[in-house]
Amino acid sequence: MTQKRGVIALLPSDCTSCMLCVRECPTWCISLDSHQAPDPNTPQGAKPRLINVLDDFRIDFSRCMSCGICVEVCPFDCLKWEDKVDYDDSKENMTHNSEKLATHWTEND
């Protein structure tokens, strides 16, 4: 299968807010907000464990150079390339949040 680059899609439910994509992005076009919450899978009686929960994930496509580093470094495969391009030329509409990035995700793999 040939890889087509168009727009980056996000599967928010799989994102652990590990920040690898944010740290590795050479243009700093990715940002995210998260908070810590108790892990619901902690066994009863065990020491409470905290996990990161994604609040919002943003990519500014006006700064993105489509290098794909974020897709490659994501250890949970929650970022991928989608061949459709879904943004216009105005600066205000070039930043996509979690909700819009999730709409790009299709199960065509």
Side-chain angles (χ1 to χ4, degrees):
M1 181 175 95
T2 56
Q3 185 67 37
K4 298 177 184 177
R5 293 186 179 183
V7 68
I8 296 169
L10 169 74
L11 191 58
S13 61
D14 287 356
C15 181
T16 64
S17 305
C18 69
M19 301 285 289
L20 282 173
C21 57
V22 174
R23 286 193 303 264
E24 295 298 323
C25 179
T27 62
W28 292 86
C29 67
I30 301 172
S31 59
L32 65 83
D33 296 322
S34 65
H35 69 277
Q36 288 191 326
D39 185 353
N41 298 322
T42 303
Q44 188 169 358
K47 182 179 177 183
R49 196 179 93 156
L50 296 177
I51 59 171
N52 292 326
V53 178
L54 181 67
D55 293 324
D56 194 26
F57 187 102
R58 295 168 301 282
I59 299 178
D60 182 351
F61 284 104
S62 68
R63 293 171 46 195
C64 179
M65 62 183 194
S66 300
C67 66
I69 292 173
C70 58
V71 175
E72 294 299 319
V73 300
C74 180
F76 302 101
D77 294 329
C78 62
L79 293 173
K80 73 173 184 173
W81 284 107
E82 281 295 332
D83 58 358
K84 59 185 169 185
V85 176
D86 188 16
Y87 47 83
D88 60 30
D89 293 336
S90 63
K91 172 86 170 126
E92 305 82 45
N93 296 325
M94 293 290 284
T95 300
H96 294 192
N97 63 10
S98 305
E99 186 177 326
K100 185 154 186 171
L101 290 167
T103 63
H104 298 315
W105 191 276
T106 59
E107 297 297 332
N108 59 2
D109 291 331

